[in-house]
PDB file of all heavy atoms in Angstrom:
ATOM      1  N   LEU A 141     -35.631 -73.351-164.502  1.00  0.00           N
ATOM      2  CA  LEU A 141     -34.652 -74.386-164.845  1.00  0.00           C
ATOM      3  C   LEU A 141     -33.499 -73.718-165.583  1.00  0.00           C
ATOM      4  O   LEU A 141     -33.678 -73.203-166.688  1.00  0.00           O
ATOM      5  CB  LEU A 141     -35.306 -75.471-165.705  1.00  0.00           C
ATOM      6  CG  LEU A 141     -34.531 -76.767-165.941  1.00  0.00           C
ATOM      7  CD1 LEU A 141     -35.482 -77.875-166.404  1.00  0.00           C
ATOM      8  CD2 LEU A 141     -33.407 -76.623-166.953  1.00  0.00           C
ATOM      9  N   GLY A 142     -32.329 -73.676-164.941  1.00  0.00           N
ATOM     10  CA  GLY A 142     -31.199 -72.979-165.546  1.00  0.00           C
ATOM     11  C   GLY A 142     -29.948 -73.826-165.581  1.00  0.00           C
ATOM     12  O   GLY A 142     -29.719 -74.667-164.704  1.00  0.00           O
ATOM     13  N   GLN A 143     -29.147 -73.593-166.604  1.00  0.00           N
ATOM     14  CA  GLN A 143     -27.889 -74.311-166.762  1.00  0.00           C
ATOM     15  C   GLN A 143     -26.710 -73.373-166.516  1.00  0.00           C
ATOM     16  O   GLN A 143     -26.683 -72.244-166.997  1.00  0.00           O
ATOM     17  CB  GLN A 143     -27.783 -74.921-168.163  1.00  0.00           C
ATOM     18  CG  GLN A 143     -26.536 -75.788-168.345  1.00  0.00           C
ATOM     19  CD  GLN A 143     -26.655 -76.739-169.523  1.00  0.00           C
ATOM     20  OE1 GLN A 143     -27.615 -76.690-170.285  1.00  0.00           O
ATOM     21  NE2 GLN A 143     -25.689 -77.620-169.676  1.00  0.00           N
ATOM     22  N   SER A 144     -25.726 -73.824-165.745  1.00  0.00           N
ATOM     23  CA  SER A 144     -24.502 -73.082-165.472  1.00  0.00           C
ATOM     24  C   SER A 144     -24.850 -71.705-164.892  1.00  0.00           C
ATOM     25  O   SER A 144     -25.562 -71.615-163.893  1.00  0.00           O
ATOM     26  CB  SER A 144     -23.674 -72.983-166.755  1.00  0.00           C
ATOM     27  OG  SER A 144     -22.379 -72.496-166.502  1.00  0.00           O
ATOM     28  N   ARG A 145     -24.384 -70.624-165.513  1.00  0.00           N
ATOM     29  CA  ARG A 145     -24.727 -69.304-164.994  1.00  0.00           C
ATOM     30  C   ARG A 145     -26.233 -69.101-164.943  1.00  0.00           C
ATOM     31  O   ARG A 145     -26.751 -68.420-164.048  1.00  0.00           O
ATOM     32  CB  ARG A 145     -24.073 -68.216-165.850  1.00  0.00           C
ATOM     33  CG  ARG A 145     -24.179 -66.819-165.238  1.00  0.00           C
ATOM     34  CD  ARG A 145     -23.777 -65.705-166.174  1.00  0.00           C
ATOM     35  NE  ARG A 145     -23.661 -64.434-165.466  1.00  0.00           N
ATOM     36  CZ  ARG A 145     -23.785 -63.250-166.029  1.00  0.00           C
ATOM     37  NH1 ARG A 145     -24.006 -63.154-167.339  1.00  0.00           N
ATOM     38  NH2 ARG A 145     -23.658 -62.144-165.321  1.00  0.00           N
ATOM     39  N   GLY A 146     -26.932 -69.709-165.886  1.00  0.00           N
ATOM     40  CA  GLY A 146     -28.385 -69.598-165.887  1.00  0.00           C
ATOM     41  C   GLY A 146     -29.022 -70.147-164.625  1.00  0.00           C
ATOM     42  O   GLY A 146     -30.049 -69.655-164.167  1.00  0.00           O
ATOM     43  N   GLY A 147     -28.382 -71.172-164.027  1.00  0.00           N
ATOM     44  CA  GLY A 147     -28.911 -71.749-162.803  1.00  0.00           C
ATOM     45  C   GLY A 147     -28.807 -70.807-161.629  1.00  0.00           C
ATOM     46  O   GLY A 147     -29.746 -70.664-160.832  1.00  0.00           O
ATOM     47  N   TRP A 148     -27.629 -70.134-161.505  1.00  0.00           N
ATOM     48  CA  TRP A 148     -27.548 -69.230-160.353  1.00  0.00           C
ATOM     49  C   TRP A 148     -28.269 -67.915-160.583  1.00  0.00           C
ATOM     50  O   TRP A 148     -28.724 -67.269-159.620  1.00  0.00           O
ATOM     51  CB  TRP A 148     -26.126 -69.065-159.838  1.00  0.00           C
ATOM     52  CG  TRP A 148     -25.021 -68.591-160.710  1.00  0.00           C
ATOM     53  CD1 TRP A 148     -24.127 -69.347-161.382  1.00  0.00           C
ATOM     54  CD2 TRP A 148     -24.630 -67.228-160.933  1.00  0.00           C
ATOM     55  NE1 TRP A 148     -23.205 -68.549-162.030  1.00  0.00           N
ATOM     56  CE2 TRP A 148     -23.485 -67.246-161.758  1.00  0.00           C
ATOM     57  CE3 TRP A 148     -25.128 -65.991-160.507  1.00  0.00           C
ATOM     58  CZ2 TRP A 148     -22.838 -66.087-162.196  1.00  0.00           C
ATOM     59  CZ3 TRP A 148     -24.490 -64.830-160.936  1.00  0.00           C
ATOM     60  CH2 TRP A 148     -23.362 -64.894-161.766  1.00  0.00           C
ATOM     61  N   LEU A 149     -28.466 -67.520-161.838  1.00  0.00           N
ATOM     62  CA  LEU A 149     -29.350 -66.384-162.092  1.00  0.00           C
ATOM     63  C   LEU A 149     -30.781 -66.740-161.693  1.00  0.00           C
ATOM     64  O   LEU A 149     -31.502 -65.922-161.106  1.00  0.00           O
ATOM     65  CB  LEU A 149     -29.305 -65.988-163.566  1.00  0.00           C
ATOM     66  CG  LEU A 149     -28.032 -65.335-164.089  1.00  0.00           C
ATOM     67  CD1 LEU A 149     -28.163 -65.058-165.585  1.00  0.00           C
ATOM     68  CD2 LEU A 149     -27.704 -64.053-163.346  1.00  0.00           C
ATOM     69  N   ALA A 150     -31.185 -67.975-162.016  1.00  0.00           N
ATOM     70  CA  ALA A 150     -32.519 -68.437-161.643  1.00  0.00           C
ATOM     71  C   ALA A 150     -32.679 -68.469-160.128  1.00  0.00           C
ATOM     72  O   ALA A 150     -33.733 -68.122-159.588  1.00  0.00           O
ATOM     73  CB  ALA A 150     -32.771 -69.827-162.234  1.00  0.00           C
ATOM     74  N   ARG A 151     -31.612 -68.870-159.421  1.00  0.00           N
ATOM     75  CA  ARG A 151     -31.674 -68.883-157.957  1.00  0.00           C
ATOM     76  C   ARG A 151     -31.856 -67.475-157.405  1.00  0.00           C
ATOM     77  O   ARG A 151     -32.626 -67.259-156.458  1.00  0.00           O
ATOM     78  CB  ARG A 151     -30.403 -69.513-157.379  1.00  0.00           C
ATOM     79  CG  ARG A 151     -30.515 -69.866-155.890  1.00  0.00           C
ATOM     80  CD  ARG A 151     -29.168 -70.284-155.331  1.00  0.00           C
ATOM     81  NE  ARG A 151     -29.277 -70.944-154.037  1.00  0.00           N
ATOM     82  CZ  ARG A 151     -29.484 -70.334-152.874  1.00  0.00           C
ATOM     83  NH1 ARG A 151     -29.594 -69.004-152.851  1.00  0.00           N
ATOM     84  NH2 ARG A 151     -29.561 -71.024-151.745  1.00  0.00           N
ATOM     85  N   LEU A 152     -31.153 -66.508-157.988  1.00  0.00           N
ATOM     86  CA  LEU A 152     -31.309 -65.123-157.556  1.00  0.00           C
ATOM     87  C   LEU A 152     -32.737 -64.630-157.796  1.00  0.00           C
ATOM     88  O   LEU A 152     -33.299 -63.903-156.961  1.00  0.00           O
ATOM     89  CB  LEU A 152     -30.308 -64.228-158.289  1.00  0.00           C
ATOM     90  CG  LEU A 152     -28.839 -64.410-157.905  1.00  0.00           C
ATOM     91  CD1 LEU A 152     -27.932 -63.620-158.859  1.00  0.00           C
ATOM     92  CD2 LEU A 152     -28.592 -63.982-156.460  1.00  0.00           C
ATOM     93  N   ALA A 153     -33.325 -65.027-158.927  1.00  0.00           N
ATOM     94  CA  ALA A 153     -34.712 -64.648-159.207  1.00  0.00           C
ATOM     95  C   ALA A 153     -35.667 -65.299-158.211  1.00  0.00           C
ATOM     96  O   ALA A 153     -36.639 -64.681-157.765  1.00  0.00           O
ATOM     97  CB  ALA A 153     -35.083 -65.046-160.639  1.00  0.00           C
ATOM     98  N   ALA A 154     -35.371 -66.547-157.825  1.00  0.00           N
ATOM     99  CA  ALA A 154     -36.224 -67.251-156.864  1.00  0.00           C
ATOM    100  C   ALA A 154     -36.141 -66.608-155.478  1.00  0.00           C
ATOM    101  O   ALA A 154     -37.142 -66.541-154.753  1.00  0.00           O
ATOM    102  CB  ALA A 154     -35.818 -68.723-156.790  1.00  0.00           C
ATOM    103  N   ILE A 155     -34.952 -66.148-155.112  1.00  0.00           N
ATOM    104  CA  ILE A 155     -34.791 -65.458-153.832  1.00  0.00           C
ATOM    105  C   ILE A 155     -35.584 -64.154-153.826  1.00  0.00           C
ATOM    106  O   ILE A 155     -36.210 -63.774-152.830  1.00  0.00           O
ATOM    107  CB  ILE A 155     -33.299 -65.170-153.555  1.00  0.00           C
ATOM    108  CG1 ILE A 155     -32.551 -66.458-153.222  1.00  0.00           C
ATOM    109  CG2 ILE A 155     -33.120 -64.140-152.456  1.00  0.00           C
ATOM    110  CD1 ILE A 155     -32.931 -67.049-151.872  1.00  0.00           C
ATOM    111  N   ARG A 156     -35.588 -63.482-154.970  1.00  0.00           N
ATOM    112  CA  ARG A 156     -36.273 -62.199-155.054  1.00  0.00           C
ATOM    113  C   ARG A 156     -37.790 -62.350-155.108  1.00  0.00           C
ATOM    114  O   ARG A 156     -38.520 -61.563-154.505  1.00  0.00           O
ATOM    115  CB  ARG A 156     -35.790 -61.418-156.286  1.00  0.00           C
ATOM    116  CG  ARG A 156     -36.239 -59.973-156.271  1.00  0.00           C
ATOM    117  CD  ARG A 156     -35.879 -59.231-157.524  1.00  0.00           C
ATOM    118  NE  ARG A 156     -34.441 -59.105-157.744  1.00  0.00           N
ATOM    119  CZ  ARG A 156     -33.907 -58.418-158.760  1.00  0.00           C
ATOM    120  NH1 ARG A 156     -34.715 -57.802-159.632  1.00  0.00           N
ATOM    121  NH2 ARG A 156     -32.598 -58.353-158.910  1.00  0.00           N
ATOM    122  N   ARG A 157     -38.268 -63.357-155.849  1.00  0.00           N
ATOM    123  CA  ARG A 157     -39.720 -63.543-156.006  1.00  0.00           C
ATOM    124  C   ARG A 157     -40.137 -64.990-155.744  1.00  0.00           C
ATOM    125  O   ARG A 157     -40.617 -65.687-156.644  1.00  0.00           O
ATOM    126  CB  ARG A 157     -40.158 -63.121-157.415  1.00  0.00           C
ATOM    127  CG  ARG A 157     -40.041 -61.651-157.726  1.00  0.00           C
ATOM    128  CD  ARG A 157     -40.896 -60.780-156.809  1.00  0.00           C
ATOM    129  NE  ARG A 157     -42.282 -61.179-156.737  1.00  0.00           N
ATOM    130  CZ  ARG A 157     -43.239 -60.716-157.559  1.00  0.00           C
ATOM    131  NH1 ARG A 157     -42.923 -59.838-158.506  1.00  0.00           N
ATOM    132  NH2 ARG A 157     -44.481 -61.116-157.425  1.00  0.00           N
ATOM    133  N   PRO A 158     -39.982 -65.473-154.514  1.00  0.00           N
ATOM    134  CA  PRO A 158     -40.373 -66.860-154.215  1.00  0.00           C
ATOM    135  C   PRO A 158     -41.865 -67.108-154.390  1.00  0.00           C
ATOM    136  O   PRO A 158     -42.296 -68.243-154.590  1.00  0.00           O
ATOM    137  CB  PRO A 158     -39.943 -67.033-152.757  1.00  0.00           C
ATOM    138  CG  PRO A 158     -39.922 -65.642-152.198  1.00  0.00           C
ATOM    139  CD  PRO A 158     -39.466 -64.768-153.330  1.00  0.00           C
ATOM    140  N   ASP A 159     -42.649 -66.040-154.304  1.00  0.00           N
ATOM    141  CA  ASP A 159     -44.093 -66.175-154.461  1.00  0.00           C
ATOM    142  C   ASP A 159     -44.490 -66.595-155.867  1.00  0.00           C
ATOM    143  O   ASP A 159     -45.622 -67.050-156.091  1.00  0.00           O
ATOM    144  CB  ASP A 159     -44.781 -64.851-154.112  1.00  0.00           C
ATOM    145  CG  ASP A 159     -44.222 -63.682-154.912  1.00  0.00           C
ATOM    146  OD1 ASP A 159     -42.982 -63.532-154.991  1.00  0.00           O
ATOM    147  OD2 ASP A 159     -45.027 -62.909-155.473  1.00  0.00           O
ATOM    148  N   LEU A 160     -43.562 -66.478-156.834  1.00  0.00           N
ATOM    149  CA  LEU A 160     -43.859 -66.843-158.219  1.00  0.00           C
ATOM    150  C   LEU A 160     -43.190 -68.149-158.639  1.00  0.00           C
ATOM    151  O   LEU A 160     -43.345 -68.570-159.786  1.00  0.00           O
ATOM    152  CB  LEU A 160     -43.404 -65.729-159.169  1.00  0.00           C
ATOM    153  CG  LEU A 160     -44.085 -64.368-159.032  1.00  0.00           C
ATOM    154  CD1 LEU A 160     -43.486 -63.382-160.026  1.00  0.00           C
ATOM    155  CD2 LEU A 160     -45.589 -64.494-159.246  1.00  0.00           C
ATOM    156  N   VAL A 161     -42.449 -68.791-157.747  1.00  0.00           N
ATOM    157  CA  VAL A 161     -41.619 -69.942-158.121  1.00  0.00           C
ATOM    158  C   VAL A 161     -42.146 -71.223-157.483  1.00  0.00           C
ATOM    159  O   VAL A 161     -42.261 -71.325-156.257  1.00  0.00           O
ATOM    160  CB  VAL A 161     -40.152 -69.707-157.713  1.00  0.00           C
ATOM    161  CG1 VAL A 161     -39.293 -70.902-158.117  1.00  0.00           C
ATOM    162  CG2 VAL A 161     -39.624 -68.439-158.376  1.00  0.00           C
ATOM    163  N   ARG A 162     -42.447 -72.195-158.330  1.00  0.00           N
ATOM    164  CA  ARG A 162     -42.912 -73.505-157.850  1.00  0.00           C
ATOM    165  C   ARG A 162     -41.749 -74.427-157.521  1.00  0.00           C
ATOM    166  O   ARG A 162     -41.839 -75.299-156.654  1.00  0.00           O
ATOM    167  CB  ARG A 162     -43.798 -74.162-158.931  1.00  0.00           C
ATOM    168  CG  ARG A 162     -44.343 -75.529-158.515  1.00  0.00           C
ATOM    169  CD  ARG A 162     -45.300 -75.378-157.360  1.00  0.00           C
ATOM    170  NE  ARG A 162     -45.612 -76.656-156.728  1.00  0.00           N
ATOM    171  CZ  ARG A 162     -44.919 -77.212-155.734  1.00  0.00           C
ATOM    172  NH1 ARG A 162     -43.839 -76.606-155.258  1.00  0.00           N
ATOM    173  NH2 ARG A 162     -45.284 -78.343-155.213  1.00  0.00           N
ATOM    174  N   GLY A 163     -40.632 -74.268-158.219  1.00  0.00           N
ATOM    175  CA  GLY A 163     -39.463 -75.099-157.984  1.00  0.00           C
ATOM    176  C   GLY A 163     -38.288 -74.540-158.759  1.00  0.00           C
ATOM    177  O   GLY A 163     -38.446 -73.696-159.656  1.00  0.00           O
ATOM    178  N   LEU A 164     -37.104 -75.029-158.415  1.00  0.00           N
ATOM    179  CA  LEU A 164     -35.869 -74.534-159.021  1.00  0.00           C
ATOM    180  C   LEU A 164     -34.978 -75.721-159.382  1.00  0.00           C
ATOM    181  O   LEU A 164     -34.752 -76.599-158.553  1.00  0.00           O
ATOM    182  CB  LEU A 164     -35.148 -73.614-158.030  1.00  0.00           C
ATOM    183  CG  LEU A 164     -33.728 -73.161-158.368  1.00  0.00           C
ATOM    184  CD1 LEU A 164     -33.722 -72.269-159.601  1.00  0.00           C
ATOM    185  CD2 LEU A 164     -33.113 -72.437-157.169  1.00  0.00           C
ATOM    186  N   VAL A 165     -34.484 -75.732-160.621  1.00  0.00           N
ATOM    187  CA  VAL A 165     -33.557 -76.770-161.081  1.00  0.00           C
ATOM    188  C   VAL A 165     -32.301 -76.078-161.591  1.00  0.00           C
ATOM    189  O   VAL A 165     -32.372 -75.198-162.449  1.00  0.00           O
ATOM    190  CB  VAL A 165     -34.167 -77.635-162.199  1.00  0.00           C
ATOM    191  CG1 VAL A 165     -33.175 -78.709-162.646  1.00  0.00           C
ATOM    192  CG2 VAL A 165     -35.468 -78.276-161.734  1.00  0.00           C
ATOM    193  N   MET A 166     -31.142 -76.498-161.068  1.00  0.00           N
ATOM    194  CA  MET A 166     -29.865 -75.906-161.459  1.00  0.00           C
ATOM    195  C   MET A 166     -28.945 -77.009-161.976  1.00  0.00           C
ATOM    196  O   MET A 166     -28.725 -78.003-161.301  1.00  0.00           O
ATOM    197  CB  MET A 166     -29.222 -75.201-160.257  1.00  0.00           C
ATOM    198  CG  MET A 166     -30.061 -74.060-159.690  1.00  0.00           C
ATOM    199  SD  MET A 166     -29.431 -73.436-158.086  1.00  0.00           S
ATOM    200  CE  MET A 166     -29.932 -74.770-156.989  1.00  0.00           C
ATOM    201  N   LEU A 167     -28.396 -76.807-163.182  1.00  0.00           N
ATOM    202  CA  LEU A 167     -27.505 -77.784-163.800  1.00  0.00           C
ATOM    203  C   LEU A 167     -26.090 -77.230-163.847  1.00  0.00           C
ATOM    204  O   LEU A 167     -25.836 -76.235-164.523  1.00  0.00           O
ATOM    205  CB  LEU A 167     -27.945 -78.101-165.239  1.00  0.00           C
ATOM    206  CG  LEU A 167     -29.185 -78.949-165.455  1.00  0.00           C
ATOM    207  CD1 LEU A 167     -30.454 -78.174-165.147  1.00  0.00           C
ATOM    208  CD2 LEU A 167     -29.238 -79.434-166.903  1.00  0.00           C
ATOM    209  N   GLY A 168     -25.197 -77.846-163.116  1.00  0.00           N
ATOM    210  CA  GLY A 168     -23.803 -77.413-163.151  1.00  0.00           C
ATOM    211  C   GLY A 168     -23.627 -75.949-162.808  1.00  0.00           C
ATOM    212  O   GLY A 168     -22.840 -75.254-163.444  1.00  0.00           O
ATOM    213  N   SER A 169     -24.332 -75.493-161.790  1.00  0.00           N
ATOM    214  CA  SER A 169     -24.323 -74.068-161.421  1.00  0.00           C
ATOM    215  C   SER A 169     -23.473 -73.856-160.172  1.00  0.00           C
ATOM    216  O   SER A 169     -23.856 -74.294-159.075  1.00  0.00           O
ATOM    217  CB  SER A 169     -25.752 -73.574-161.159  1.00  0.00           C
ATOM    218  OG  SER A 169     -26.562 -73.747-162.313  1.00  0.00           O
ATOM    219  N   PRO A 170     -22.336 -73.160-160.285  1.00  0.00           N
ATOM    220  CA  PRO A 170     -21.444 -72.967-159.136  1.00  0.00           C
ATOM    221  C   PRO A 170     -21.951 -71.891-158.189  1.00  0.00           C
ATOM    222  O   PRO A 170     -21.350 -70.814-158.056  1.00  0.00           O
ATOM    223  CB  PRO A 170     -20.122 -72.566-159.800  1.00  0.00           C
ATOM    224  CG  PRO A 170     -20.544 -71.866-161.053  1.00  0.00           C
ATOM    225  CD  PRO A 170     -21.789 -72.578-161.519  1.00  0.00           C
TER     226      PRO A 170
END
Side-chain angles (χ1 to χ4, degrees):
L141 192 161
Q143 185 161 6
S144 191
R145 190 191 191 205
W148 57 264
L149 290 178
R151 193 189 195 283
L152 290 171
I155 289 290
R156 192 185 296 184
R157 293 299 308 270
D159 54 312
L160 297 179
V161 181
R162 181 66 193 88
L164 170 66
V165 180
M166 299 170 286
L167 287 73
S169 301

